[in-house]
Amino acid sequence: MAKTYQQINEKIARGEAVVVTAEEVIDIVKERGLKDAADYVDVVTTATFGPMCSSGAFLNFGHSDPPIRMAEISLNGVAASGGLAAVDTYLGATQPSQDRGIEYGGAHVINDLIAGKEVHLVATSRGTDCYPRKEIDTWVKLEDMNEAYLFNPRNCYQNYNAAINTSSKRIYTYMGILQPNMGNITYSTAGELSPLLNDPLLKTIGMGTRLFFGGAQGYVSWMGTQFNTACERDEKGYPTTSGATLALIGNMKEMNPAYIRGAVYEKYGTSMFVGIGIPIPILNEEMMSFVSVENKDLYTYVFDYSVASGGHPKLKKVSYAELRSGSVDINGKMIKTSPLSSLKVAREIALELNHWIKKGQFFLQEPIQSFPMANALKSLEIKEGEAR
Amino acid sequence: MITKKILLSFPKMATGKPMAMELIKTYNLDFSILKAMIDDNIKGTLLLEIRGKQTDIDAGIVFLRENQIGVKDVQSMVVVDQKKCVSCGACTAVCAVNALEMDENWSLVHHEDKCLECMLCVKACPMRAIHTVM
């Protein structure tokens, strides 16, 4: 029997909703069958905790006296945008610091702020009639700011490449360190627990979906950048390449520093581990079928990251069960496989979201708008000469 | 016959003395040099995996200490800070001997005895949760 968002939320309010994780639901479907399981389970929680570079924070510091229109801004030595109004800024997660480079970047400042630490704010300005101050040097804490929210333009990739290096040199990538001569393979997903792999056609995840975001209740605010729903899919609709992404928004003041962490990729740059959990309402048997997917049925491709131009060459299609097994056969050679996103922490997040829902602290939000399902990726053409 | 790892620190005055030869000749010890370095102050550090009889090892260590050489038992020079580690797995990608590997719950485990001290995991860790004691 089909359920509505309202009916599920009423069960959550009464403390009667049946909530399980996307890993637990696999056995429930095997035991009860699809139809009975769809009647029994109300919400399936999914989660991921991995590096997501396209992340950052909007901050408003409040006005000093006399006031300043901040033009060049830095927080703990990390440059933030001076391209907004007087005391608004956007701090990008991957921005390196002036003194420590990629070892301490925007993501680390964001983590320090969420952890309640004081951060060194330095800003300069030309000075204007209404904003006469030309420089400011002070310490700020999250609780002292007016607003502070993460707005991450691209998080939660539906699926992602696995990476290998066929060259004779070690390479340093955002997919970790890749050893020469196909020495290792890395992959980055929560697989059968991953949010968008459990709703491959985005039937329940759209603009306005409420979710677990860094320990706070956040929202899907838009489609993520490089949103690619026109991607290759299997016969059931699961993407076998990158697929959809989400733009997320959430209040930093309610976040937990354990779930928003600065990260460093050697000779690549700073990134940010973002903890996301998305509840999937089991509205009908179709949704139950989608969430019961297993790693053995989810596929990606191994790409050669030693070739940077013209796209990474595709070496092999592999399932996440194969990648999780510890080695994959490439041209007759068993290659060691390693994850880059933390399944351990993703499981903690799926359980925490599960508890929020069971305790009646978190309710489902039906999307106010669905995302386009035939959105293809564009690339950047290099044009010469004058504007045309 | 036992095998153990020891970290030797040579003060300036001891650097340059043929200690290794003494360990082989006088104390019947066999060893592999895992790491060796001399810093700007001419202070030397040597990480050895030594093999021999317990009594010979003990006597060899006494000999080293009598010559002002610091001797420390070590399992591995690599230390994983569990408070910072998130068990992402990035370090396991570069660990050729699986001294760093994921357990069945996808939690990082560190088998210190297997470590070859290549230190590539230090660079691979995005949380900078791995450091060395050298």
Side-chain angles (χ1 to χ4, degrees), chain B:
Chain B
M1 196 76 155
I2 60 163
T3 301
K4 68 188 291 182
K5 273 189 208 169
I6 54 170
L7 183 67
L8 308 184
S9 37
F10 293 71
K12 188 175 176 180
M13 53 170 288
T15 302
K17 284 191 188 174
M19 294 297 167
M21 192 181 74
E22 284 292 325
L23 290 179
I24 299 169
K25 275 175 61 180
T26 314
Y27 298 94
N28 302 313
L29 297 176
D30 166 23
F31 55 81
S32 312
I33 299 172
L34 299 176
K35 278 269 182 286
M37 58 176 267
I38 297 180
D39 70 12
D40 295 346
N41 299 315
I42 329 287
K43 182 180 162 295
T45 308
L46 194 59
L47 180 68
L48 299 181
E49 187 176 78
I50 51 172
R51 289 171 292 274
K53 277 193 263 172
Q54 181 72 60
T55 48
D56 287 339
I57 291 177
D58 290 346
I61 289 173
V62 169
F63 160 76
L64 292 168
R65 288 195 169 131
E66 280 169 355
N67 283 280
Q68 278 76 51
I69 294 161
V71 183
K72 222 171 25 181
D73 279 7
V74 286
Q75 278 284 315
S76 165
M77 313 257 295
V78 169
V79 179
V80 180
D81 182 345
Q82 295 299 338
K83 286 201 290 283
K84 286 186 182 172
C85 175
V86 296
S87 287
C88 66
C91 59
T92 68
V94 295
C95 187
V97 291
N98 297 329
L100 290 160
E101 66 175 354
M102 307 307 282
D103 69 10
E104 68 280 7
N105 297 315
W106 298 96
S107 192
L108 181 72
V109 282
H110 183 200
H111 308 289
E112 295 183 33
D113 51 323
K114 289 191 193 173
C115 179
L116 291 185
E117 320 291 342
C118 76
M119 313 296 180
L120 204 48
C121 55
V122 175
K123 291 180 177 176
C125 176
M127 296 296 145
R128 296 304 194 226
I130 306 180
H131 64 274
T132 66
V133 293
M134 195 151 180

Side-chain angles (χ1 to χ4, degrees), chain A residues 316-335:
Chain A
K316 191 178 182 183
K317 190 174 180 179
V318 288
S319 76
Y320 282 118
E322 289 173 85
L323 287 167
R324 287 271 170 208
S325 77
S327 59
V328 164
D329 183 325
I330 304 277
N331 305 332
K333 190 181 166 196
M334 292 308 284
I335 314 289

Side-chain angles (χ1 to χ4, degrees), chain A residues 93 120 127 170 176 200 203 219 225 257 274 291 307 321 331 349 385:
Chain A
H120 191 197
R170 178 185 295 150
K203 302 248 180 190
Y219 295 89
T225 54
V274 181
V291 298
V307 180
N331 305 332
I349 291 169

